Amino acid sequence: KPAGVLSVPGRGDVTFVADLLRRQKVVADDEKLLVVHRLDRGASGVMVLARTADAQRNLSAQWNNRTVEKVYLALASGRLEGSGEVDLPLVVDREKSKVRVDRKKGKPSLTRYRAIEHLGGQTLLECLPVTGRLHQIRVHLSAIGHPLLVDSRYGGGRRVMLSSYKPGYRPNRREEERPLVARLTLHAMRLSFDHPSGAGRVTFEALPPKDLRATIAQLRRLNASPRSNEERV
C-alpha cells in the first residue's frame, strides 16, 4: 500500500487499496476484495486482502489469534539503544480522535522493537507488534519518548527537509524546497502467515518506498553534529 491510500473506502474522493488494484488491472473491475486488516493512511507497506469469504475468515482468525508475524520499519526521533518492548494498554479517545495509554481502561498492547541503525540523531527501528491495536506502534514509541520522526499527531514532526540536514545546503531560487518525506515514517515491511488454502507458511515483503529510502540515505550522509528535533522537522 502506498502512503496516502486508504485501507478501506472512506469519506471523500480518496483512493483505497482495492480501488487502486482495479485501476492497475491487478484484479478485475467486478472482483470483490475483502478486508482482513488495515494500515494507517499515512503508512506504506504490505497488506493482505482476501478474495473469498472463507479466506477472509481463515486470515482474520490468524490475526485474532496473533499467529501472524508483522514486521515494521520505523524511523523514530532520537537515539534508542538495543532492543526491548513496550507493554502499555491502549484505549481509543474518540473525542480527540487519538489513541492513548490508559492503565485502567486500556486493552493489553505489546510492541517489541530493535534498533537497526542510528542516523543523524534519529533511530531506524524494526518493530514487531504482537497485538494489533489502532495506532499501536505510533503511540507506544511516543510513550517512551521516541515518536516517529514524522507523526504530528503523536509528537513527531510534520516533514523532513533536506535543508535541515545537509551542511551548506543551497536552495533552488526557482522553486520551493520539497520535503524528503511528509507522511508517517512507518512502513509495513514483512508479513508471514499460514496460507488459507493449507499450502503452508508464506511470507510477503515490500521494500521501503522512494521517500523513506531518500530520507534514510540522506541521514546516513550526515557527518555534522546533529541538531535538535525542533530544527530538523
Side-chain angles (χ1 to χ4, degrees):
K1 184 186 83 67
V5 173
L6 293 173
S7 298
V8 297
R11 297 178 181 177
D13 186 24
V14 181
T15 301
F16 58 97
V17 170
D19 185 41
L20 182 65
L21 293 174
R22 294 187 186 99
R23 292 180 186 178
Q24 296 176 343
K25 305 301 180 184
V26 177
V27 297
D29 290 343
D30 59 351
E31 181 172 356
K32 186 177 181 180
L33 297 174
L34 306 172
V35 175
V36 175
H37 66 117
R38 304 185 185 193
L39 292 180
D40 290 344
R41 177 177 174 179
S44 57
V46 179
M47 263 194 73
V48 174
L49 297 172
R51 306 182 89 152
T52 68
D54 285 343
Q56 183 190 40
R57 282 190 290 270
N58 181 290
L59 291 167
S60 296
Q62 293 186 56
W63 254 262
N64 291 335
N65 293 333
R66 303 175 187 174
T67 59
V68 178
E69 182 184 12
K70 299 165 285 186
V71 181
Y72 286 74
L73 199 64
L75 184 55
S77 301
R79 189 180 181 92
L80 188 57
E81 303 286 351
S83 59
E85 63 181 35
V86 184
D87 186 2
L88 293 172
L90 302 178
V91 66
V92 178
D93 187 336
R94 301 197 181 280
E95 290 186 2
K96 297 182 179 180
S97 299
K98 294 177 67 174
V99 177
R100 58 181 171 82
V101 174
D102 191 317
R103 298 182 184 277
K104 292 183 178 180
K105 299 180 180 179
K107 294 181 178 180
S109 307
L110 177 63
T111 302
R112 297 190 174 103
Y113 66 85
R114 178 175 67 89
I116 299 174
E117 189 175 358
H118 295 115
L119 302 164
Q122 320 300 346
T123 306
L124 188 63
L125 296 171
E126 182 180 80
C127 294
L128 286 76
V130 178
T131 52
R133 309 300 180 198
L134 180 68
H135 298 177
Q136 178 176 309
I137 293 175
R138 299 165 63 184
V139 180
H140 274 171
L141 290 180
S142 179
I144 62 173
H146 297 278
L148 293 176
L149 184 58
V150 180
D151 187 359
S152 59
R153 180 175 294 188
Y154 294 110
R158 293 185 177 275
R159 58 186 181 176
V160 176
M161 307 298 289
L162 178 60
S163 58
S164 299
Y165 285 93
K166 186 175 181 179
Y169 175 83
R170 295 182 180 181
N172 187 333
R173 297 180 180 179
R174 297 181 179 179
E175 59 184 28
E176 185 178 353
E177 181 188 1
R178 296 180 180 180
L180 290 171
V181 61
R183 52 86 167 189
L184 297 179
T185 47
L186 183 67
H187 177 73
M189 186 167 61
R190 185 166 65 250
L191 277 177
S192 297
F193 54 89
D194 295 326
H195 198 284
S197 69
R201 197 76 172 172
V202 292
T203 298
F204 297 93
E205 297 185 353
L207 294 176
K210 183 179 179 180
D211 57 354
L212 272 183
R213 294 200 311 269
T215 303
I216 292 169
Q218 182 57 42
L219 291 177
R220 282 183 178 140
R221 298 189 190 103
L222 185 64
N223 54 17
S225 298
R227 287 174 274 177
S228 67
N229 287 340
E230 288 77 15
E231 292 177 315
R232 289 195 193 99
V233 299

